[in-house]
Amino acid sequence: MLLVCMIFAGCAAPVKTEFDPDLVRIREDTFFLCEDIGIRVTGTEKEVQTADWIEEKLHEAGFLDEVHLIRMPFEGAEGKCSENIVAICNPDSKGPIFSVVAHYDSVATSTGARDNAASVPGLLEIARFLGADNPDFDCQIRMVFLGSEENGYHGSRAYVDALTQEEKESH
């Protein structure tokens, strides 16, 4: 779906490679988030463990330096510290910016299996496909993993607040 939206928006040149998501890996990652890590409330060690795991997965996908991968701490729900993790494909592109977003925290009563625990592995798979630099797309693509979303969209606000005016206009 992301690729279709970018093509219609004029971002993508004809794509030479088909996106063939690894559904087994997406499922394994979803189970890891739900069963091995579990509930990931803002400001808890489980939320930090999830952020570290996401960063590790993005490193494996080639997002290795501070130009392609940014961790952005902010004050989340109830004044607790949280982080947004941003993987940037084509950071030097002068074309439009597309942000694709998933949140990785959960409420205190659920592992978020149908919400964030499913969307985070899907977004990781998009990051694996795109890589840190992808000449097939004449735009900047940001895979944004938000913390502290379940209780007030704190991660979204922190992400938008950190954008420059130029970045906002390029979205």
Side-chain angles (χ1 to χ4, degrees):
M1 186 61 163
L2 167 69
L3 301 177
V4 171
C5 291
M6 290 188 307
I7 289 169
F8 284 121
C11 174
V15 178
K16 300 173 191 155
T17 312
E18 279 192 38
F19 179 52
D20 188 20
D22 185 338
L23 300 179
V24 172
R25 182 167 41 201
I26 292 171
R27 182 177 179 181
E28 289 171 353
D29 286 351
T30 302
F31 275 94
F32 180 80
L33 284 172
C34 292
E35 294 179 0
D36 293 0
I37 294 180
I39 294 172
R40 304 167 303 283
V41 176
T42 298
T44 64
E45 181 57 36
K46 293 292 188 174
E47 188 192 38
V48 173
Q49 181 183 359
T50 305
D52 292 343
W53 176 79
I54 291 169
E55 181 178 30
E56 177 184 320
K57 294 296 180 183
L58 291 168
H59 282 167
E60 291 170 7
F63 297 87
L64 301 172
D65 59 31
E66 62 278 350
V67 173
H68 293 94
L69 182 63
I70 303 166
R71 282 181 79 154
M72 305 168 66
F74 64 92
E75 186 177 304
E78 299 174 10
K80 295 179 181 175
C81 184
S82 189
E83 291 181 281
N84 289 337
I85 304 157
V86 183
I88 304 172
C89 173
N90 301 331
D92 296 325
S93 173
K94 301 301 180 210
I97 298 172
F98 289 86
S99 291
V100 188
V101 180
H103 70 96
Y104 63 90
D105 64 315
S106 69
V107 296
T109 57
S110 172
T111 61
R114 290 191 176 171
D115 183 10
N116 46 17
S119 59
V120 166
L123 190 52
L124 284 170
E125 195 64 20
I126 291 170
R128 288 181 191 108
F129 169 73
L130 292 173
D133 294 294
N134 190 321
D136 288 336
F137 297 99
D138 186 23
C139 59
Q140 186 180 118
I141 306 164
R142 298 179 180 186
M143 282 73 48
V144 184
F145 299 85
L146 301 169
S148 194
E149 279 295 287
E150 287 292 0
N151 297 303
Y153 307 111
H154 300 279
S156 295
R157 272 192 228 116
Y159 176 67
V160 172
D161 289 347
L163 295 173
T164 66
Q165 188 61 36
E166 182 181 352
E167 289 172 322
K168 290 176 183 177
E169 291 169 4
S170 293
H171 269 79

